[in-house]
Amino acid sequence: MGGQAAQIMKSWKANFMSSQKQDIHPEVKGERQMSIEGFARYMFSSECLLFKENCKTVYQDMNHPLSDYFISSSHNTYLISDQILGPSDIWGYVSALVKGCRCLEIDCWDGSQNEPIVYHGYTFTSKLLFKTVVQAINKYAFVTSDYPVVLSLENHCSPGQQEVMASILQNTFGDFLLSDMLEEFPDTLPSPEALKFKILVKNRKVGTLSETHERIGTDKSGQVLEWKEVIYEDGDEDSGMDPETWDDFLSRIKEEKEADPSTLSGVTGVKKRKRKMKIAMALSDLVIYTKAEKFQNFQYSRLYQQFNETSSIGESRARKLSKLRVHEFIFHTAAFITRVYPKMMRADSSNFNPQEFWNVGCQMVALNFQTPGLPMDLQNGKFLDNGGSGYILKPDILRDTTLGFNPNEPEYDGHPITLTIRIISGIQLPVSSSSSTPDVVVIIEVYGVPNDHVKQQTRVVKNNAFSPKWNETFTFIIQVPELALIRFVVETQQGLLAGNELLGQYTLPVLCMNKGYRRVPLFSKSGANLEPSSLFTYVWYFRE
């Protein structure tokens, strides 16, 4: 306890010395004191903020392969409202890129006058020209981050309009478009550093990277390739076959030269479905390190998935796999880029909790950026880290499969931290929409592995949002701090029937918190900064 007290005094001394820099009264500085004005200036300076200064810059190693990073990703980026009737707007792409999003989704369909369009197919959402979307992306792609942007194409176009898409991509992005493999990375995924200021196309692809390289500079006009896909099903698309059945089945496929058995009668309950599609060579050859492939099964991927193939999994199936096949899931995401997207039933553009998929290492957890709420608070909070670059290096437990990490285990033999937070007071909290003198409460939530998820709250301060005081201390034991986020929520109590009203919140990674006396800025539900509204806190944590 004595050591902890010494650390607290050291933290206070550091804060005091920092505050003196803000003081404009030399006589106070000479006496090693602080004026009220100096203290106020310090309180509202960046040095007093809860978020660590070094986390505001790119400080992580950016030379790992792409699969080693969480990548900020959006779903149906062109939509700014619901999935059925709402408008499509360029603002969806602009706002996502400004927030540091690095994977954008573009649904492409044939348009009139040979102009591909972007919209949510078979719905009443409005339409955008593909060309206009690409031009907007080109303008804002690297405003917030220098690291690569992935264009996830949902391609429903005819070969002719696919050629138009390829031409637009090449003419708009020029040298920023990655159209050939990097010499240093012929058979491994490159790093974000190696791909700085590059645009990557995620789409179906026919042929190998070597074949693409050999065609560089050739005329591909009118050249069409046939893309084929064989899907093996057992009637349960969520769980797939049991591992023994799949291993037996796949070992027999592997023995065949073409890996395409004419019959599956030897495997009970397995169905084979084939799909074909015409793909313009010009577009296919723009796909390098992000080739889209349907996810079939972990065992299938282990035998056949190539290093440059990425797969997308719906949230329902991904959730089931994360519970029933957690070790296989982490093994898979340690090797291959995996994207999780919202289920079709979310017509209102609602979002799932992204934390459950970050816990198993999914790189691209795609959310509807237009919809505020807890999921987007977690998304925005997580990607504050590493300079807001949109790339967060996954912790060792999700990159090294020999560690045998399981986020669902109640106990984890790692390096937990004990976190203490004292909520001291509030500073000019936002005005409630229902009352000018609201009753306010502060809630602290921890999100991470299931065992770390916890919520605690202060008492309610009556009729005072201008300068409420709590002076309440809370302690948390966080087993896996590398994956944990903390969310400060200020609400006004309106009774059991009306429920609480959110006044402001702030979310950040646990390990990005400064220690000592700190100010917690608040943001509205839509993400607007509510300065000077904030909380005054004392924070301390140590590893056990």
Side-chain angles (χ1 to χ4, degrees):
M1 188 66 186
Q4 184 178 353
Q7 288 294 325
I8 292 173
M9 291 302 297
K10 183 178 178 182
S11 171
W12 168 247
K13 183 178 179 181
N15 284 3
F16 177 81
M17 295 300 292
S18 178
S19 68
Q20 281 212 312
K21 297 177 188 176
Q22 309 293 332
D23 215 315
I24 61 174
H25 299 287
E27 66 277 10
V28 172
K29 288 184 179 180
E31 294 296 324
R32 294 183 58 79
Q33 296 177 350
M34 183 170 29
S35 69
I36 294 295
E37 185 181 29
F39 179 71
R41 289 166 66 89
Y42 165 67
M43 280 282 292
F44 286 96
S45 72
S46 61
E47 293 176 335
C48 188
L49 287 172
L50 180 62
F51 193 69
K52 282 183 179 178
E53 194 68 30
N54 73 301
C55 292
K56 296 178 183 177
T57 61
V58 177
Y59 68 93
Q60 296 178 346
D61 185 352
M62 303 301 282
N63 292 294
H64 289 257
L66 286 177
S67 53
D68 279 0
Y69 296 85
F70 294 119
I71 303 171
S72 179
S73 304
S74 60
H75 173 251
N76 288 350
T77 318
Y78 49 90
L79 294 178
I80 59 171
S81 184
D82 65 82
Q83 306 282 312
I84 306 297
L85 301 169
S88 303
D89 199 289
I90 294 301
W91 177 246
Y93 292 97
V94 174
S95 60
L97 288 167
V98 168
K99 290 177 182 176
C101 183
R102 300 287 89 188
C103 180
L104 311 171
E105 187 172 18
I106 311 175
D107 282 18
C108 311
W109 298 80
D110 281 354
S112 61
Q113 299 180 337
N114 208 31
E115 283 277 8
I117 56 173
V118 175
Y119 87 113
H120 201 195
Y122 307 114
T123 69
F124 299 101
T125 58
S126 58
K127 300 175 175 65
L128 300 170
L129 289 178
F130 179 78
K131 177 171 58 179
T132 307
V133 169
V134 172
Q135 289 170 344
I137 294 171
N138 183 54
K139 185 175 181 179
Y140 290 93
F142 303 108
V143 167
T144 298
S145 172
D146 300 345
Y147 291 98
V149 173
V150 178
L151 304 184
S152 182
L153 303 184
E154 285 290 331
N155 177 18
H156 305 275
C157 291
S158 61
Q161 295 211 15
Q162 289 178 39
E163 274 198 19
V164 175
M165 289 167 57
S167 177
I168 291 170
L169 291 168
Q170 290 172 311
N171 293 335
T172 306
F173 293 126
D175 291 339
F176 291 113
L177 183 67
L178 186 73
S179 54
D180 191 14
M181 58 184 173
L182 303 180
E183 288 184 10
E184 319 91 276
F185 301 97
D187 51 12
T188 57
L189 283 176
S191 65
E193 192 67 31
L195 291 169
K196 259 188 171 181
F197 300 108
K198 287 296 182 184
I199 304 288
L200 281 66
V201 176
K202 177 177 171 286
N203 188 59
R204 299 182 182 95
K205 179 181 181 66
V206 179
T208 65
L209 291 180
S210 296
E211 291 169 341
T212 296
H213 180 72
E214 291 171 2
R215 288 195 289 263
I216 293 289
T218 63
D219 182 14
K220 301 170 188 176
S221 178
Q223 300 293 311
V224 178
L225 303 168
E226 186 175 70
W227 171 82
K228 298 178 183 179
E229 179 180 65
V230 179
I231 302 170
Y232 302 104
E233 301 173 330
D234 70 331
D236 180 359
E237 74 163 359
D238 281 333
S239 61
M241 302 181 203
D242 63 88
E244 293 77 13
T245 304
W246 262 101
D247 287 339
D248 177 63
F249 169 52
L250 293 171
S251 64
R252 276 184 278 161
I253 294 179
K254 199 170 186 179
E255 291 173 359
E256 302 194 18
K257 187 175 181 181
E258 298 300 325
D260 184 18
S262 58
T263 177
L264 297 176
S265 58
V267 183
T268 305
V270 176
K271 299 177 182 178
K272 183 176 73 170
R273 180 161 57 91
K274 292 184 178 181
R275 283 201 302 166
K276 295 181 180 180
M277 181 179 178
K278 302 291 185 182
I279 297 184
M281 182 185 290
L283 183 60
S284 175
D285 281 359
L286 294 182
V287 179
I288 307 300
Y289 294 115
T290 45
K291 176 184 178 183
E293 280 291 321
K294 181 178 176 60
F295 175 76
Q296 308 231 26
N297 185 279
F298 292 136
Q299 290 77 20
Y300 188 94
S301 295
R302 190 167 66 239
L303 289 174
Y304 296 110
Q305 188 161 342
Q306 301 299 305
F307 76 96
N308 65 325
E309 294 177 349
T310 72
S311 52
S312 294
I313 310 176
E315 67 165 287
S316 298
R317 187 180 189 190
R319 184 173 294 113
K320 192 168 185 178
L321 291 171
S322 70
K323 290 177 171 59
L324 300 179
R325 306 288 182 84
V326 61
H327 288 298
E328 292 173 275
F329 210 151
I330 293 174
F331 187 90
H332 178 82
T333 58
F336 306 112
I337 295 176
T338 304
R339 177 177 175 268
V340 178
Y341 59 91
K343 60 187 177 184
M344 189 182 301
M345 296 301 290
R346 294 186 183 274
D348 59 350
S349 294
S350 61
N351 284 310
F352 51 76
N353 183 339
Q355 186 69 50
E356 59 184 320
F357 304 119
W358 289 330
N359 286 345
V360 291
C362 294
Q363 294 85 351
M364 296 178 173
V365 181
L367 297 182
N368 294 302
F369 271 45
Q370 73 273 32
T371 306
L374 170 63
M376 277 306 298
D377 290 345
L378 298 179
Q379 158 76 25
N380 293 334
K382 186 175 189 67
F383 286 98
L384 280 176
D385 198 4
N386 205 32
S389 64
Y391 285 83
I392 306 291
L393 184 63
K394 295 196 291 186
D396 289 342
I397 52 177
L398 293 175
R399 291 186 281 121
D400 184 353
T401 55
T402 64
L403 297 176
F405 174 65
N406 184 346
N408 301 326
E409 289 179 350
E411 296 293 333
Y412 171 65
D413 187 19
H415 300 283
I417 66 169
T418 298
L419 169 65
T420 299
I421 297 177
R422 181 149 51 109
I423 303 295
I424 300 172
S425 61
I427 304 167
Q428 297 182 46
L429 298 182
V431 177
S432 167
S433 62
S434 58
S435 172
S436 58
T437 56
D439 302 337
V440 291
V441 61
V442 177
I443 302 167
I444 306 173
E445 303 170 333
V446 176
Y447 292 87
V449 299
N451 197 47
D452 284 341
H453 180 52
V454 67
K455 179 190 297 187
Q456 298 193 45
Q457 71 178 56
T458 65
R459 71 183 189 282
V460 177
V461 172
K462 299 285 187 178
N463 304 324
N464 184 3
F466 186 77
S467 58
K469 297 178 180 63
W470 289 279
N471 279 316
E472 294 185 51
T473 301
F474 305 92
T475 299
F476 306 86
I477 306 296
I478 301 177
Q479 298 293 330
V480 190
E482 299 92 334
L483 289 171
L485 298 169
I486 189 162
R487 184 172 183 250
F488 296 84
V489 182
V490 179
E491 292 182 349
T492 176
Q493 269 198 346
Q494 301 182 111
L496 293 175
L497 294 178
N500 288 5
E501 178 189 350
L502 176 73
L503 296 183
Q505 69 82 34
Y506 184 63
T507 308
L508 75 164
V510 165
L511 296 181
C512 285
M513 287 195 297
N514 271 315
K515 297 177 182 178
Y517 290 93
R518 299 293 168 182
R519 185 169 61 90
V520 180
L522 294 177
F523 292 81
S524 70
K525 184 177 181 180
S526 63
N529 193 324
L530 297 174
E531 289 280 11
S533 298
S534 51
L535 299 173
F536 187 43
T537 64
Y538 177 79
V539 175
W540 186 256
Y541 55 89
F542 61 93
R543 287 193 182 271
E544 295 184 348

